[in-house]
Amino acid sequence: MIFVQAFRFAGLTGVGAIIALSLTPGTLRPQTGFSGYIEHFSAYAIVAALLALGWTSQSQRIAIIIGSFVLGAALEALQLWIPGRTSDAVSAIVSGTAGMFGVLLVAECQRRLKHVA
């Protein structure tokens, strides 16, 4: 049970970090050197995977996937009013798709581990 709580905490902390970094003005936001799409995909996939490890039912995981698309779209829309930030629909789609990838990756790994055990 402690691992479930840790994954939930880490996932929700990741959501908070995505929100904070997405709403930070461009000049203040840390730069990784990677393209925005790679940053989006990596962040959303990792956070969604953590959330999927914390919430394991099918309906909860579907909610995580839907939430990834909604969060990505909402943050892209909000970035229209943040100085030094740009907004585009492709970034929102990449974010949501990455969230789906993270959830499906965890589900597939867990499925395969059940067959091994």
Side-chain angles (χ1 to χ4, degrees):
M1 186 63 174
I2 188 76
F3 289 115
V4 170
Q5 292 173 342
F7 286 127
R8 288 179 179 183
F9 178 78
L12 292 173
T13 300
V15 171
I18 287 172
I19 292 169
L21 291 171
S22 295
L23 300 180
T24 300
T27 57
L28 300 175
R29 191 178 73 81
Q31 303 295 321
T32 64
F34 293 103
S35 78
Y37 298 134
I38 292 173
E39 289 178 348
H40 282 230
F41 193 92
S42 301
Y44 278 78
I46 291 167
V47 169
L50 291 169
L51 292 170
L53 288 166
W55 283 282
T56 59
S57 76
Q58 184 175 6
S59 62
Q60 291 168 329
R61 289 180 171 179
I62 290 169
I64 294 166
I65 292 169
I66 293 169
S68 295
F69 281 98
V70 170
L71 182 63
L75 291 175
E76 286 300 317
L78 289 171
Q79 285 178 1
L80 292 170
W81 293 281
I82 307 294
R85 298 305 298 263
T86 59
S87 177
D88 67 281
V90 174
S91 291
I93 293 168
V94 168
S95 299
T97 303
M100 182 170 55
F101 174 81
V103 170
L104 295 176
L105 180 65
V106 166
E108 180 62 17
C109 288
Q110 288 177 329
R111 186 189 70 77
R112 289 180 184 223
L113 286 173
K114 281 183 182 177
H115 290 293
V116 172

